[in-house]
């Protein structure tokens, strides 16, 4: 037997590989291929390194490896790339991640560990696999899969280590240039990332703030982060954008190390958001965004954070305050003052007034203030209108020349265009005045022209009359030879026309009085028809016949018996018909629908390719009713024959849903519609869709009753299912309240409290109304207004009657019973009873008057239904009787008014249980807060001692501190060699190296000024009696941060930089 397996034909080595699923597989390692020449190894190894997309330091480290090691790496990577079915390939990760996303959270520890290992293996693969792996992962929508997982997490997953690992996968994906570009290009990626801020896990939040802070350093990243924070404000229902961030910055986590790391991550994010992006060059933007943090109270929090005495955290705090001081000094220089107190409204107004006074802008300032005074009384106290004005002014100040808004934009406006319009406003006004003058002159010209035209028309008409008279005179002369006197007279200009005759008396139908009878005629006898002028009663109207069917006029016709003695007895419409253009009337209100025409007015017939008239549609019913009926039929998607068959057969096929039947009840044919449509029964094919439906449905015997019965049948079980739980809830709640021993003990304690507190006539009570339970919380303590009698009651019960704390278990049904309204319940029960009687009546009628309709199954179907319905109705009726009996007993036991409704009665208990539970939570929170304060006080004393000791050491040896800083920078450089560009950027941001150059400049400026700023960090340290620690590392770290940001700038515009050695 050989001593070593490498001398046999078997595989020489066994490799143990973890699949990320809790199992370990044994994978034989294939022998290496024969190594070619050194040049060929170098060429192939270069391709592998290029595929890995490594940074310059990593590439140098890879090329320093010996040739045999390079060949071994090449063979292993080549084999891994060719095996696409491996579980380490992106397809497996994406499929497994989709499966985990669709599963609910499990409490199995093994399953949770398996999922954590899987996500960790994905993070490792995204970091270590070649660029081909990342590109394939992106092609398979791997980013969207991760985002789907983050957006669908339940509470347990949010607080688990899986969430933290998944954020790590995003960070690993962004560590690659292609993955980073894909994340920034995704429309919702940053929004979904910010949604994870709802987690309470400290490690998860630290990773999130590191990602968000690093994104602010990338081109376009800061705008996406600010928009995402607005999205999170709506998502988390917060009052302001950064509310949760400031809350996290202020609250204590309990552990010093975690708290320092957490606060450092938050401050690095805030500084990145303020200093990069739009804040890199815009003073206005920095002041705008910083003011939002200051309004949330960040300055007192910063003062409190200094008690941690951590160098890295202090470096971020110093940078925030130094940038703030520099910006405030620069703003003060604009107004030629030393300091501007942004908290003093009077100071800021005086500066603005002084700046615009004696300028053209001053009237506009007055106008602005005046219109602010004109805000309605209800609006003046409302913050929404002031918030709108505030955001509009912010947009005007921050928008750049290209119209881009670096922050939220409440209005879609372009400030540059508006300013250009306002600049030219004076010129426009002058042009408008000139235009108005020209318009006036033009109107004068038009007026004079019209006068001349009228004069010309008069002269032309007189000339024409004269020529006509002369022509007639000449014709008479030629006929007779001698003109007659009459001819001469006729040839003269005509005399003026005589005055028109007096107007006739008003017609009877116009409301005027009837003409008096002729002289000598006897008066009409009593009871005789009215005088002529109105049609006699009962007389047949002489109405012309239309040339085609007309639309109906939806009026209410008066009976003939009610006409006598009214205005209608004096009306005669027969004369009106002679005045009407009946052909035009028939055309305008024809019952036939107008056909669609082409541009030449012809109806196109596609059957033969020619144009011919299309049959018109006959529509007689009301237009609105016809339109709604047509909409119903289009939703029903059944022919009239199918609907009729379903109605006759009582819808055995289930083709008529309940909602459709309910709508069909609205379109039951009326007697007027049946009469109108019956007159056009020969024109059924020409009827409109709604008219034909109503006409055909009217042919079904007792159509309306059938529809009602069918609707009741389909709705019956739903109504029963709705009534039964309400009855059961009241029954159970009634039993619980009068059987509960805990409730009686509680009432006993409350009665004792009341008699003890109320002396005299209000005391010495044997009982009280149950509504008094909800008044317990109104009695507040004289020592602490936040403590009520209810809190005292809960504490006393916890000490003396702890079992009463579980009272909600005894009377938990009161919450459901409080929603039951007796009036509505009896109304629903009455509807059920009435419908059942109507169905029985209709069945009896159908039995006596059977029809010969084909497929008619009304009697058989309704008989079976009524048999079942009677049983269910009897059960409901019995439950209703039991409910009333139990409820009346509950009222009697508690001595309550019998008229009180169940919803009002059980709401008393429901509200009290809620108040009782809230009081218990208040007491528990108060205890926890007291414990935390005591613990925080002890921790503060300990940290204060440590801070004093460390401060003494720092003052004793500043050289040691510089040495430590140098060593720390070297450590950062060494660590960055094992990470990607995005990790390097996060490390530089977290340590504060990315701000080192800015801090050095600010420190130099401060020394040049030779004085301290008026407010901020330097004043704060002066008050403490020590100098701030700038924490500026050597220039090589600053240069490293600048190289990283610059390289990512070039990635965004598509130009990948050459390898740069840091």
């Amino acid at each position: 037997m050989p001593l070593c397996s490498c001398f046999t034909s078997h595989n020489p080595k066994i490799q143990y590989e973890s699949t990320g699923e809790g199992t370990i597989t044994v994978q034989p390692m294939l022998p290496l291929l024969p190594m070619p020449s050194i040049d060929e190894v170098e060429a192939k190894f270069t391709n592998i390194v290029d595929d890995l997309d490594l940074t310059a330091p990593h590439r140098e480290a890879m090329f320093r490896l010996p040739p045999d090691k390079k060949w071994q790496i090449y063979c292993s990577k080549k084999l891994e790339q060719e095996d696409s079915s491996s579980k380490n390939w992106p397809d497996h990760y994406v499929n497994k991640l989709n499966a985990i996303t669709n599963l609910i959270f499990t409490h199995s520890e093994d399953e949770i560990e398996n999922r954590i290992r899987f996500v960790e293996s994905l993070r490792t693969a995204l970091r270590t696999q070649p660029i081909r792996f990342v590109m394939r992962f992106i092609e398979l929508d791997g980013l969207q899969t991760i985002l789907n997982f983050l957006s669908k997490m339940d509470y347990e997953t949010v607080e688990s280590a899986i969430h933290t690992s998944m954020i790590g996968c995003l960070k690993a994906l962004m560590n690659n240039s292609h993955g980073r570009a894909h994340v920034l290009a995704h429309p919702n990626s940053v929004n979904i990332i910010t949604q994870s801020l709802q987690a309470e896990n400290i490690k998860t939040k630290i990773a999130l703030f590191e990602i968000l802070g690093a994104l602010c350093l990338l081109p376009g990243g800061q705008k996406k982060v600010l928009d995402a924070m607005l999205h999170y404000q709506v998502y988390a229902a917060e009052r302001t954008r950064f509310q949760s961030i400031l809350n996290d910055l202020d609250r204590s986590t309990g552990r010093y190390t975690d708290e320092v790391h957490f606060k450092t991550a938050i401050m690095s994010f805030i500084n990145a958001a303020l200093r990069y992006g739009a804040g890199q060059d815009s003073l206005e933007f920095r002041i705008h965004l910083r003011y939002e943090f200051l309004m949330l109270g960040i300055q007192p929090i910063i003062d409190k954070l200094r008690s941690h005495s951590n160098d890295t955290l202090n470096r971020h705090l110093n940078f925030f305050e130094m940038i703030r001081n520099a910006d405030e000094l620069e703003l003060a220089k604009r107004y030629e003052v030393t300091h501007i107190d942004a908290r003093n409204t009077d100071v800021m107004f005086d500066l603005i007034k002084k700046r615009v006074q004696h300028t053209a802008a001053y009237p506009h300032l007055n106008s602005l203030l005046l219109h602010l005074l004109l805000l309605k009384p209800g609006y003046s106290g409302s913050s929404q209108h002031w918030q709108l004005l505030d955001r509009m002014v912010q947009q005007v100040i921050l928008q750049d020349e290209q119209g881009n808004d670096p922050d939220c934009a409440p209005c879609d406006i372009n400030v540059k265009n508006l300013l250009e319009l306002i600049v030219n406003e004076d010129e426009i006004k002058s042009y408008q005045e000139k235009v108005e003058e020209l318009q006036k002159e033009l109107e004068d010209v038009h007026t004079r022209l019209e006068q001349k035209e009228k004069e010309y028309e008069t002269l032309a008409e007189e000339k024409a009359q004269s020529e006509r008279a002369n022509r007639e005179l000449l014709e008479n002369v030629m006929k007779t030879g001698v003109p007659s006197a009459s001819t001469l007279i006729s040839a003269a200009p005509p005399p003026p026309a005589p005055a028109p005759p007096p107007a006739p008396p008003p017609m009877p139908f116009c409301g005027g009085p009837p003409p008096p009878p002729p002289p000598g005629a006897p008066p009409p006898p009593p009871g005789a028809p009215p005088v002529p002028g109105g049609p006699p009663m009962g007389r047949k109207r002489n109405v012309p016949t239309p040339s085609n069917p007309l639309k109906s006029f939806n009026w209410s016709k008066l009976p003939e018996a009610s006409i006598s003695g009214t205005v209608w007895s004096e009306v005669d419409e027969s004369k009106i018909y002679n005045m009407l253009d009946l052909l035009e009337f028939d055309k305008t209100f024809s019952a036939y629908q107008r056909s669609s025409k082409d541009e030449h007015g012809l109806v196109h017939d596609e059957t033969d390719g020619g144009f011919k008239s299309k049959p018109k549609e006959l529509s007689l019913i009301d237009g609105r009713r016809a339109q709604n009926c047509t909409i119903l039929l289009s939703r029903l998607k059944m022919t009239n024959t199918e609907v009729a068959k379903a109605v006759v057969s009582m819808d055995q096929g289930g083709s008529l849903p309940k909602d459709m039947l309910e709508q069909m009840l609205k379109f039951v044919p009326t007697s007027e519609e049946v009469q109108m449509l019956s007159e056009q029964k020969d024109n059924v094919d020409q009827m409109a869709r709604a008219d034909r439906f109503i006409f055909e449905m009217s042919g079904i015997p007792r159509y309306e009753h059938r529809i009602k019965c069918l609707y009741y049948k389909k709705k019956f079980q739903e109504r029963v299912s709705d009534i039964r739980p309400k009855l059961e809830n009241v029954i159970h709640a009634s039993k619980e309240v009068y059987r509960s021993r805990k409730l009686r003990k509680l009432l006993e304690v409350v009665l004792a409290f009341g008699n003890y507190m109320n002396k005299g006539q209000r005391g010495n009570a044997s009982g009280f109304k149950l509504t008094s339970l909800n008044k317990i919380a109104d009695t507040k303590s004289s020592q602490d207004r936040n403590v009520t009698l209810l809190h005292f009651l809960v504490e006393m019960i916890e000490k003396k009657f702890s079992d009463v704390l579980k009272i909600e278990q005894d009377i938990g049904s009161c919450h459901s019973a409080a929603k039951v309204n007796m009036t509505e319940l009896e109304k629903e029960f009455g509807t059920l009873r009435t419908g059942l009687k109507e169905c029985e009546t209709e069945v009896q009628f159908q039995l006596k008057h059977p029809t010969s309709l084909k497929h008619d199954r009304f009697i058989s179907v309704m008989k079976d239904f009524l048999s079942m319905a009677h049983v269910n109705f009897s059960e409901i009726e019995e439950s209703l009787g039991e409910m009333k009996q139990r409820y009346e007993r509950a009222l009697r036991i508690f001595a309550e008014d019998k008229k009180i409704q169940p919803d009002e009665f059980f709401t008393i208990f429901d509200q009290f249980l809620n108040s009782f539970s809230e009081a218990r939570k208040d007491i528990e929170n108060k205890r926890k807060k007291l414990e935390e304060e005591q613990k925080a006080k002890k921790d503060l004393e300990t940290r204060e001692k440590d801070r004093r000791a460390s401060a003494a050491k720092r003052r004793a040896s500043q050289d040691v501190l510089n040495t430590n800083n140098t060593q720390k920078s070297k450590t950062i450089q060494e660590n960055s060699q094992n990470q990607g560009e995005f990790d390097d950027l996060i490390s530089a941001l977290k340590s504060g190296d990315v701000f080192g150059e800015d801090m050095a400049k600010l420190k130099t400026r401060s020394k040049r000024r030779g004085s301290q700023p008026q407010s901020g960090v330097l004043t704060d340290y002066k008050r403490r009696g020590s100098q701030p620690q700038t924490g500026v590392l050597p220039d090589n770290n600053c240069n490293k941060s600048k190289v990283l940001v610059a390289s990512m700038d070039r990635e965004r515009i598509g130009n990948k930089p050459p390898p740069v050695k840091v």
Side-chain angles (χ1 to χ4, degrees), residues 708-731:
K708 288 182 178 180
C709 291
L710 181 57
Y711 178 68
Y712 179 82
K713 173 180 174 294
K714 287 180 174 288
K715 196 76 174 177
F716 179 80
Q717 198 59 43
E718 179 182 337
R719 288 171 174 167
V720 169
S721 300
D722 187 38
I723 293 175
R724 183 176 282 119
K726 296 179 181 179
L727 299 175
E728 294 176 352
N729 288 335
V730 177
I731 292 174

Tab-separated table of all heavy atoms in Angstrom, residues 708-731:
chain	number	residue	atom	x	y	z
A	708	LYS	N	-86.207	40.026	-7.903
A	708	LYS	CA	-86.132	40.274	-6.465
A	708	LYS	C	-85.909	38.985	-5.686
A	708	LYS	O	-85.098	38.940	-4.751
A	708	LYS	CB	-87.400	40.964	-5.987
A	708	LYS	CG	-87.518	42.418	-6.415
A	708	LYS	CD	-88.777	43.049	-5.865
A	708	LYS	CE	-88.870	44.537	-6.243
A	708	LYS	NZ	-90.095	45.171	-5.725
A	709	CYS	N	-86.628	37.945	-6.055
A	709	CYS	CA	-86.467	36.658	-5.358
A	709	CYS	C	-85.072	36.086	-5.591
A	709	CYS	O	-84.453	35.539	-4.672
A	709	CYS	CB	-87.527	35.668	-5.824
A	709	CYS	SG	-89.202	36.085	-5.315
A	710	LEU	N	-84.580	36.185	-6.816
A	710	LEU	CA	-83.252	35.660	-7.107
A	710	LEU	C	-82.180	36.440	-6.337
A	710	LEU	O	-81.233	35.852	-5.798
A	710	LEU	CB	-82.993	35.755	-8.619
A	710	LEU	CG	-81.646	35.233	-9.108
A	710	LEU	CD1	-81.450	33.776	-8.715
A	710	LEU	CD2	-81.539	35.375	-10.630
A	711	TYR	N	-82.324	37.758	-6.263
A	711	TYR	CA	-81.359	38.567	-5.519
A	711	TYR	C	-81.408	38.241	-4.021
A	711	TYR	O	-80.374	38.135	-3.358
A	711	TYR	CB	-81.651	40.046	-5.750
A	711	TYR	CG	-80.737	40.972	-4.991
A	711	TYR	CD1	-79.392	41.067	-5.308
A	711	TYR	CD2	-81.218	41.734	-3.934
A	711	TYR	CE1	-78.548	41.909	-4.613
A	711	TYR	CE2	-80.375	42.587	-3.224
A	711	TYR	CZ	-79.044	42.667	-3.565
A	711	TYR	OH	-78.214	43.500	-2.864
A	712	TYR	N	-82.619	38.059	-3.487
A	712	TYR	CA	-82.749	37.713	-2.074
A	712	TYR	C	-82.110	36.355	-1.799
A	712	TYR	O	-81.447	36.157	-0.783
A	712	TYR	CB	-84.228	37.697	-1.687
A	712	TYR	CG	-84.474	37.329	-0.241
A	712	TYR	CD1	-84.360	38.276	0.763
A	712	TYR	CD2	-84.793	36.017	0.129
A	712	TYR	CE1	-84.561	37.945	2.090
A	712	TYR	CE2	-84.994	35.676	1.451
A	712	TYR	CZ	-84.880	36.645	2.430
A	712	TYR	OH	-85.083	36.310	3.738
A	713	LYS	N	-82.306	35.402	-2.716
A	713	LYS	CA	-81.728	34.071	-2.545
A	713	LYS	C	-80.206	34.132	-2.501
A	713	LYS	O	-79.565	33.504	-1.651
A	713	LYS	CB	-82.191	33.177	-3.694
A	713	LYS	CG	-81.530	31.801	-3.755
A	713	LYS	CD	-82.060	31.013	-4.921
A	713	LYS	CE	-81.299	29.707	-5.068
A	713	LYS	NZ	-79.904	29.889	-5.432
A	714	LYS	N	-79.609	34.895	-3.430
A	714	LYS	CA	-78.154	34.975	-3.464
A	714	LYS	C	-77.607	35.768	-2.277
A	714	LYS	O	-76.476	35.553	-1.837
A	714	LYS	CB	-77.709	35.627	-4.771
A	714	LYS	CG	-77.862	34.733	-6.003
A	714	LYS	CD	-77.389	35.451	-7.247
A	714	LYS	CE	-77.398	34.526	-8.456
A	714	LYS	NZ	-76.339	33.516	-8.406
A	715	LYS	N	-78.366	36.713	-1.771
A	715	LYS	CA	-77.906	37.586	-0.691
A	715	LYS	C	-78.207	37.001	0.690
A	715	LYS	O	-77.685	37.503	1.698
A	715	LYS	CB	-78.598	38.950	-0.844
A	715	LYS	CG	-77.983	40.082	-0.063
A	715	LYS	CD	-76.721	40.598	-0.673
A	715	LYS	CE	-76.223	41.832	0.060
A	715	LYS	NZ	-74.954	42.316	-0.478
A	716	PHE	N	-79.027	35.956	0.770
A	716	PHE	CA	-79.531	35.471	2.052
A	716	PHE	C	-78.396	35.004	2.952
A	716	PHE	O	-78.298	35.415	4.119
A	716	PHE	CB	-80.530	34.336	1.810
A	716	PHE	CG	-81.089	33.747	3.075
A	716	PHE	CD1	-82.112	34.372	3.765
A	716	PHE	CD2	-80.573	32.563	3.605
A	716	PHE	CE1	-82.627	33.833	4.934
A	716	PHE	CE2	-81.074	32.024	4.767
A	716	PHE	CZ	-82.103	32.653	5.433
A	717	GLN	N	-77.522	34.137	2.431
A	717	GLN	CA	-76.477	33.566	3.282
A	717	GLN	C	-75.515	34.644	3.765
A	717	GLN	O	-75.035	34.598	4.899
A	717	GLN	CB	-75.716	32.493	2.494
A	717	GLN	CG	-74.915	31.544	3.378
A	717	GLN	CD	-75.786	30.792	4.381
A	717	GLN	OE1	-76.867	30.315	4.048
A	717	GLN	NE2	-75.328	30.702	5.618
A	718	GLU	N	-75.247	35.624	2.925
A	718	GLU	CA	-74.361	36.724	3.331
A	718	GLU	C	-74.979	37.518	4.473
A	718	GLU	O	-74.283	37.902	5.423
A	718	GLU	CB	-74.102	37.630	2.132
A	718	GLU	CG	-73.212	38.818	2.440
A	718	GLU	CD	-73.028	39.725	1.244
A	718	GLU	OE1	-73.211	39.241	0.102
A	718	GLU	OE2	-72.713	40.915	1.447
A	719	ARG	N	-76.288	37.773	4.400
A	719	ARG	CA	-76.951	38.516	5.466
A	719	ARG	C	-76.978	37.721	6.759
A	719	ARG	O	-76.781	38.266	7.850
A	719	ARG	CB	-78.364	38.872	5.034
A	719	ARG	CG	-78.425	39.953	3.955
A	719	ARG	CD	-79.803	40.128	3.390
A	719	ARG	NE	-79.883	41.262	2.469
A	719	ARG	CZ	-80.894	41.489	1.650
A	719	ARG	NH1	-81.930	40.658	1.624
A	719	ARG	NH2	-80.877	42.541	0.844
A	720	VAL	N	-77.202	36.424	6.633
A	720	VAL	CA	-77.213	35.572	7.836
A	720	VAL	C	-75.819	35.564	8.465
A	720	VAL	O	-75.675	35.669	9.692
A	720	VAL	CB	-77.679	34.151	7.463
A	720	VAL	CG1	-77.442	33.195	8.628
A	720	VAL	CG2	-79.151	34.158	7.088
A	721	SER	N	-74.790	35.442	7.618
A	721	SER	CA	-73.424	35.416	8.137
A	721	SER	C	-73.030	36.746	8.761
A	721	SER	O	-72.117	36.801	9.594
A	721	SER	CB	-72.449	35.084	6.996
A	721	SER	OG	-72.756	33.827	6.435
A	722	ASP	N	-73.683	37.816	8.360
A	722	ASP	CA	-73.389	39.124	8.931
A	722	ASP	C	-74.096	39.329	10.269
A	722	ASP	O	-73.579	39.974	11.169
A	722	ASP	CB	-73.811	40.215	7.937
A	722	ASP	CG	-73.366	41.591	8.399
A	722	ASP	OD1	-72.258	41.705	8.956
A	722	ASP	OD2	-74.121	42.553	8.213
A	723	ILE	N	-75.303	38.772	10.389
A	723	ILE	CA	-76.093	38.970	11.612
A	723	ILE	C	-75.626	38.050	12.733
A	723	ILE	O	-75.533	38.463	13.900
A	723	ILE	CB	-77.590	38.747	11.308
A	723	ILE	CG1	-78.098	39.844	10.364
A	723	ILE	CG2	-78.418	38.732	12.583
A	723	ILE	CD1	-79.522	39.636	9.907
A	724	ARG	N	-75.304	36.802	12.407
A	724	ARG	CA	-75.021	35.806	13.444
A	724	ARG	C	-73.844	36.197	14.341
A	724	ARG	O	-73.947	36.115	15.572
A	724	ARG	CB	-74.779	34.436	12.795
A	724	ARG	CG	-74.538	33.331	13.811
A	724	ARG	CD	-74.406	31.969	13.175
A	724	ARG	NE	-75.711	31.420	12.808
A	724	ARG	CZ	-76.088	31.104	11.580
A	724	ARG	NH1	-75.272	31.348	10.568
A	724	ARG	NH2	-77.262	30.593	11.318
A	725	PRO	N	-72.672	36.651	13.792
A	725	PRO	CA	-71.572	37.028	14.705
A	725	PRO	C	-71.928	38.181	15.635
A	725	PRO	O	-71.464	38.216	16.785
A	725	PRO	CB	-70.449	37.419	13.739
A	725	PRO	CG	-70.782	36.775	12.453
A	725	PRO	CD	-72.259	36.736	12.385
A	726	LYS	N	-72.732	39.115	15.169
A	726	LYS	CA	-73.121	40.227	16.037
A	726	LYS	C	-73.935	39.735	17.228
A	726	LYS	O	-73.734	40.177	18.370
A	726	LYS	CB	-73.925	41.251	15.235
A	726	LYS	CG	-73.137	41.912	14.119
A	726	LYS	CD	-73.996	42.894	13.339
A	726	LYS	CE	-73.207	43.542	12.203
A	726	LYS	NZ	-74.034	44.475	11.413
A	727	LEU	N	-74.861	38.824	16.958
A	727	LEU	CA	-75.658	38.267	18.054
A	727	LEU	C	-74.772	37.514	19.040
A	727	LEU	O	-74.913	37.662	20.263
A	727	LEU	CB	-76.737	37.339	17.483
A	727	LEU	CG	-77.763	37.979	16.538
A	727	LEU	CD1	-78.675	36.903	15.959
A	727	LEU	CD2	-78.596	39.018	17.269
A	728	GLU	N	-73.848	36.710	18.508
A	728	GLU	CA	-72.973	35.921	19.388
A	728	GLU	C	-72.056	36.826	20.211
A	728	GLU	O	-71.784	36.535	21.392
A	728	GLU	CB	-72.149	34.949	18.544
A	728	GLU	CG	-72.997	33.876	17.870
A	728	GLU	CD	-72.170	32.991	16.954
A	728	GLU	OE1	-70.978	33.323	16.738
A	728	GLU	OE2	-72.709	31.977	16.455
A	729	ASN	N	-71.579	37.914	19.615
A	729	ASN	CA	-70.697	38.819	20.364
A	729	ASN	C	-71.418	39.436	21.561
A	729	ASN	O	-70.869	39.522	22.668
A	729	ASN	CB	-70.199	39.933	19.440
A	729	ASN	CG	-69.190	39.428	18.429
A	729	ASN	OD1	-68.522	38.423	18.656
A	729	ASN	ND2	-69.086	40.123	17.302
A	730	VAL	N	-72.655	39.866	21.354
A	730	VAL	CA	-73.407	40.464	22.456
A	730	VAL	C	-73.725	39.418	23.514
A	730	VAL	O	-73.675	39.697	24.721
A	730	VAL	CB	-74.685	41.138	21.923
A	730	VAL	CG1	-75.524	41.695	23.068
A	730	VAL	CG2	-74.344	42.252	20.949
A	731	ILE	N	-74.072	38.201	23.082
A	731	ILE	CA	-74.384	37.127	24.046
A	731	ILE	C	-73.157	36.826	24.911
A	731	ILE	O	-73.242	36.758	26.150
A	731	ILE	CB	-74.861	35.871	23.301
A	731	ILE	CG1	-76.230	36.128	22.650
A	731	ILE	CG2	-74.943	34.681	24.243
A	731	ILE	CD1	-76.712	34.991	21.762
